[in-house]
């Protein structure tokens, strides 16, 4: 039926009334939805920004802009001079420097070695350290301390079908059919537990690793002279019993992690006293709080695993007179029930919205984690929590997150999230961070880093050593991160519009006298291959008003009035 005719017909007054009521209900629903989801329609009227250059001033560590394995795209390291590069991950737990090879463990059919029939001891890591030095990057090198390392430089595997029989899955690559490598599970899914740990591995101890640290010092110099600056005490030790169950099927206990860290960290400090040590580098919330060994936490006074680790490192210093732990490091990946965020593509609208929200788990005491974790725990507030632990359990220890990834780095959504994370790291006083799975230099995620490290293509940076108070009345819509540069005194602001609509906001400015108009640079969906210089912005003594494009990252650089 023609709707216009139906509405005008006198015989359809009831229909008119019903439609009228439906319209009212629809309008109310729109308003309610806007309020509930904090949409720009409901919020922009009161959306304001403020910056007080005299308040909350603290240093911003340049090491928060690090990456893992940027060698996948060396161009980004060369352009941005990434401050820290980490050589880590599961396979590094099994690295044997003498044959220059590792074993991937359960990540890839317990395969180790390669095509290298004439290995040069430590060669692949030496190349990484040399490249980092050339790029001006600090090196983080993982020291295996699990007790076993890979035996051979040629292809090998922990559960060959020829020896251990048919298995649930076999490696479809590398090996001929008669030498297939299995996943260490029988066809019914049960674990193979009677394997020989020395099939493809050798026993490793602190003395074995000391020879490697000595090699690194001899080859590259001490940490203070430009060699390896930071040594990580293995990788995700609470995962050994799963990832490396062919040689370490047991769960890692409180005491085992402490004792191994004592041995290997003390060795590093004795070999290169100028080097820093980082640990425990565990995989996430479940092992922040417990080891996974039955009744282990109860046997240690109910103290959370991460805190107990800090307490034991402090006890070691008090006993030996030497600090063996410089960075308390944990890995951090977002979790939202039924959604894939970390290391995943951008996803649908629901996933993208959750990705942007979930950065609040790093700092916000009003945010309940949207996963099983949040259902049984207080707000995560990960960085403030770690700061409080250190304050109470081992003052003076720095904080690191050497693996994190919120996903979507191939998209604008991932870029917005990454820019937000880098701003949070600076505001919350993290000391070091290295992104897992860096973006390619052409992908949007890399422009989040460019905003902070090279926004004009000429080396200009947001990071000026000093954080200044910067606040948004609704950070879920429009977030702001402020810094004052040391070299020229300029005030730099990163402002992120996380919505699909342009937002206009007043910014009030206190404690800063502008020397003139501000430079404005914007990265948005209008041009995903460049940070675009905009018209200069007039700044008064009390601030400015500006409009920020939908889904955009804006850098505002305000020159300081000369004295």
């Amino acid at each position: 039926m023609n709707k216009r005719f139906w509405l005008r017909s006198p015989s359809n007054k009831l229909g008119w009334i019903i439609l009228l009521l439906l319209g009212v209900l629809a309008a109310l629903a729109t308003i309610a939805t806007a309020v509930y989801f904090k949409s720009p329609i409901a919020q922009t009227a009161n959306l304001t920004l403020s910056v007080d250059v005299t308040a909350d001033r603290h240093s911003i560590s340049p090491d928060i802009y690090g990456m893992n394995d940027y060698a996948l795209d060396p161009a980004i390291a060369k352009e941005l001079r990434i401050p820290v590069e980490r050589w880590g991950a599961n396979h590094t737990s099994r690295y044997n420097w003498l044959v220059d090879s590792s074993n991937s463990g359960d990540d890839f059919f317990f395969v180790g070695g390669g095509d290298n029939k004439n290995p040069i001891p430590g060669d692949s890591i030496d190349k990484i350290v040399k490249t980092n030095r050339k790029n001006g990057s600090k090196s983080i090198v993982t020291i295996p301390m699990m007790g076993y390392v890979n035996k051979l430089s040629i292809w090998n595997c922990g559960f060959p079908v020829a020896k251990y029989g048919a298995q649930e899955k076999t490696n479809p690559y590398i090996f001929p059919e008669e030498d297939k490598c299995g996943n260490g599970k029988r066809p019914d899914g049960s674990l193979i537990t009677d394997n020989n740990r020395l099939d493809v591995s050798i026993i490793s101890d602190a003395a074995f690793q000391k020879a490697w640290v000595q090699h690194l010092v001899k080859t590259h110099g001490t940490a203070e002279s430009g060699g390896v600056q930071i040594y990580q005490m293995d990788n995700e030790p609470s995962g050994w019993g799963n990832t490396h169950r062919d040689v370490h099927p047991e769960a890692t206990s409180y005491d085992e992690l402490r004792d191994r860290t004592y041995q290997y960290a003390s060795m590093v400090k004795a070999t290169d006293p100028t080097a820093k040590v980082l640990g425990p580098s565990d995989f996430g919330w479940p092992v922040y709080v417990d080891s996974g060994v039955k009744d282990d936490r109860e046997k240690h006074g109910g103290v959370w695993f991460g805190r107990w680790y800090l307490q034991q490192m402090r006890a070691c210093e008090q006993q030996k007179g030497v600090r063996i732990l410089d960075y308390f490091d944990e890995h951090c990946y977002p979790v939202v029930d039924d959604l894939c965020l970390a290391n995943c593509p951008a996803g649908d609208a629901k996933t993208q919205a959750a990705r942007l929200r979930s950065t609040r788990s790093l700092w916000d005491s009003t945010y309940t984690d949207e996963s099983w974790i949040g259902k049984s725990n207080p707000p995560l507030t990960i960085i403030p929590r770690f700061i409080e632990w250190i304050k109470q359990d081992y003052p003076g220890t720095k904080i690191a997150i050497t693996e994190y990834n919120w996903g979507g780095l191939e998209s604008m959504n991932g870029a917005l999230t990454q820019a937000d994370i880098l701003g949070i790291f600076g505001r919350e006083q993290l000391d070091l961070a290295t992104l897992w799975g860096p973006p390619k230099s052409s992908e949007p995620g890399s422009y989040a880093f460019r905003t902070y490290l090279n926004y004009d293509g000429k080396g200009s940076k947001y990071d000026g050593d000093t954080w200044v108070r910067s606040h948004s009345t609704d950070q879920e819509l429009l977030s702001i991160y402020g810094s004052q540069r040391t070299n020229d005194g300029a005030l730099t602001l990163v402002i992120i519009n996380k919505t699909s609509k342009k937002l206009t906001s007043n910014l009030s400015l206190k404690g800063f006298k502008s020397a003139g108009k501000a430079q404005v640079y914007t990265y948005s969906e209008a041009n995903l291959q460049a940070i675009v210089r905009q018209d200069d912005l007039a700044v008064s003594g009390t601030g400015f008003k500006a409009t920020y494009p939908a889904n955009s990252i804006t850098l505002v650089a305000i020159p300081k009035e000369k004295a």
Side-chain angles (χ1 to χ4, degrees):
M1 182 184 291
N2 183 288
K3 185 177 180 182
R4 291 177 62 192
F5 174 81
W6 186 79
L7 285 175
R8 293 174 64 184
S9 173
S11 62
N12 281 307
K13 291 182 180 179
L14 180 60
W16 171 266
I17 294 171
I18 291 172
L19 272 184
L20 208 60
L21 288 172
L22 288 174
V24 171
L25 289 172
L28 289 172
T30 301
I31 294 170
T33 301
V35 171
Y36 182 79
F37 291 104
K38 294 189 174 182
S39 79
I41 297 173
Q43 296 293 315
T44 49
N46 297 317
L47 184 58
T48 59
L49 305 174
S50 60
V51 176
D52 185 348
V53 178
T54 66
D56 299 339
R57 294 175 66 89
H58 61 72
S59 62
I60 298 175
S61 171
D63 293 339
I64 61 176
Y65 307 105
M67 293 182 178
N68 284 263
D69 196 18
Y70 58 51
L72 295 174
D73 189 348
I76 197 170
K78 184 177 181 181
E79 175 197 347
L80 301 182
R81 296 183 66 84
I82 298 298
V84 185
E85 198 265 354
R86 170 181 175 259
W87 178 73
N90 288 332
H91 71 282
T92 63
S93 294
R94 302 277 285 277
Y95 178 71
N96 180 346
W97 76 281
L98 288 177
V99 297
D100 194 33
S101 71
S102 303
N103 186 294
S104 61
D106 193 48
D107 285 350
F108 191 68
F109 297 93
F110 300 89
V111 169
D115 290 321
N116 192 357
K117 296 181 180 180
N118 298 294
I120 300 172
D123 185 54
S124 60
I125 313 308
D126 288 341
K127 289 177 180 176
I128 291 172
V129 176
K130 289 177 181 177
T131 299
N132 289 344
R133 190 165 186 170
K134 181 180 179 180
N135 290 335
S137 304
K138 295 179 181 177
S139 294
I140 299 176
V141 169
T142 301
I143 298 294
M145 61 177 195
M146 183 171 54
Y148 295 87
V149 294
N150 196 52
K151 181 190 296 185
L152 306 169
S153 64
I154 57 175
W155 293 116
N156 61 84
C157 63
F159 294 102
V161 172
K163 181 172 183 178
Y164 294 107
Q167 295 173 49
E168 182 186 55
K169 295 179 181 179
T170 56
N171 170 27
Y173 310 105
I174 304 172
F175 300 97
E177 189 63 35
E178 63 271 18
D179 293 324
K180 282 292 185 182
C181 292
N183 66 347
K185 296 180 180 180
R186 298 182 181 88
D188 63 2
S190 62
L191 299 180
I192 296 173
T193 58
D194 59 350
N195 66 298
N196 185 346
R197 300 187 187 193
L198 299 181
D199 277 348
V200 295
S201 301
I202 62 172
I203 294 173
S204 168
D205 58 16
F208 183 91
Q209 299 302 334
K210 180 177 180 178
W212 184 33
V213 178
Q214 289 173 329
H215 164 84
L216 290 167
V217 170
K218 181 179 180 180
T219 305
H220 308 286
T222 62
E224 68 178 4
S225 61
V228 177
Q229 290 91 343
I230 303 171
Y231 291 91
Q232 177 177 295
M233 296 297 98
D234 214 290
N235 176 76
E236 299 186 352
S238 292
W240 291 343
N242 176 51
T243 306
H244 299 289
R245 57 185 168 79
D246 59 325
V247 294
H248 193 291
E250 312 83 9
T252 305
S253 69
Y254 278 55
D255 291 348
E256 181 185 5
L257 181 58
R258 175 198 61 196
D259 294 346
R260 289 189 181 277
T261 304
Y262 278 1
Q263 296 169 23
Y264 289 82
S266 296
M267 174 274 292
V268 168
K269 289 290 188 176
T271 308
D272 184 358
T274 69
K276 303 299 183 184
V277 168
L278 181 149
S281 308
D282 239 329
F283 60 77
W285 182 265
V287 290
Y288 296 171
V289 303
D290 205 344
S291 66
V293 175
K294 183 176 174 57
D295 299 327
D296 208 14
R297 189 168 77 179
E298 289 72 16
K299 292 175 182 177
H300 293 84
V303 180
W304 284 15
F305 199 12
R307 293 198 64 175
W308 189 85
Y309 176 89
L310 280 167
Q311 293 166 5
Q312 297 306 300
M313 296 304 109
R314 184 181 191 181
C316 181
E317 180 181 359
Q318 291 171 336
Q319 182 180 1
K320 303 293 185 180
V322 176
R323 174 183 275 272
I324 64 168
L325 182 76
D326 300 285
Y327 290 87
F328 176 69
D329 172 48
E330 298 284 21
H331 297 167
C332 179
Y333 291 96
V335 182
V336 173
D337 286 346
D338 302 322
L339 297 178
C340 183
L341 301 182
N343 298 305
C344 291
D348 59 17
K350 180 180 178 182
T351 301
Q352 293 186 33
R355 178 174 288 113
L356 286 168
R357 287 195 308 272
S358 63
T359 63
R360 293 168 59 191
S361 65
L362 291 166
W363 64 275
D364 190 352
S365 61
T366 69
Y367 175 69
T368 299
D369 189 73
E370 300 172 56
S371 73
W372 62 269
I373 300 173
K375 294 173 184 176
S376 58
N377 291 281
L380 272 64
T381 55
I382 290 169
I383 301 174
R385 183 185 298 275
F386 289 169
I387 289 174
E388 186 61 26
W389 286 1
I390 286 169
K391 180 180 178 181
Q392 295 184 25
D393 299 322
Y394 199 5
T397 307
K398 294 183 178 182
I399 305 173
I401 298 176
T402 58
E403 279 191 28
Y404 73 93
N405 182 297
W406 255 254
L409 292 169
E410 82 294 345
S411 71
M412 191 66 211
N413 176 254
L416 296 171
T417 306
Q418 184 61 49
D420 200 40
I421 289 169
L422 294 176
I424 291 167
F425 285 169
R427 184 189 66 201
E428 299 298 320
Q429 302 185 62
L430 193 69
D431 293 296
L432 184 151
T434 49
L435 171 68
W436 180 260
K440 297 178 181 178
S441 60
S442 60
E443 290 182 321
S446 68
Y447 286 89
F449 282 86
R450 285 188 178 93
T451 298
Y452 288 89
L453 299 176
N454 185 22
Y455 60 80
D456 62 356
K458 301 176 182 178
S460 295
K461 298 182 179 182
Y462 153 89
D463 183 7
D465 299 333
T466 304
W467 164 268
V468 299
R469 178 184 291 174
S470 36
H471 176 73
S472 169
T473 53
D474 195 330
Q475 184 155 311
E476 285 191 66
L477 301 182
L478 192 66
S479 58
I480 180 169
Y481 302 100
S483 170
Q484 187 168 21
R485 289 201 295 240
T486 300
N487 60 343
D488 61 0
L491 176 63
T492 53
L493 308 173
V494 170
I495 301 167
I496 307 167
N497 181 353
K498 305 174 187 178
T499 78
S500 59
K501 297 180 180 293
K502 64 181 180 181
L503 297 178
T504 299
S505 175
N506 289 309
L507 183 146
S508 63
L509 181 59
K510 181 180 179 182
F512 185 85
K513 292 184 178 180
S514 171
K517 292 184 176 181
Q519 297 178 351
V520 180
Y521 296 82
T522 299
Y523 182 68
S524 72
E525 293 173 312
N527 186 345
L528 292 178
Q529 292 301 308
I531 297 175
V532 179
R533 174 77 181 267
Q534 308 295 327
D535 293 339
D536 287 354
L537 179 66
V539 179
S540 72
T542 58
F544 59 84
K545 183 177 183 179
T547 297
Y548 306 96
N551 297 313
S552 66
I553 308 167
T554 298
L555 186 292
V556 180
I558 309 173
K560 182 182 179 181
E561 183 180 72
K562 294 182 179 179

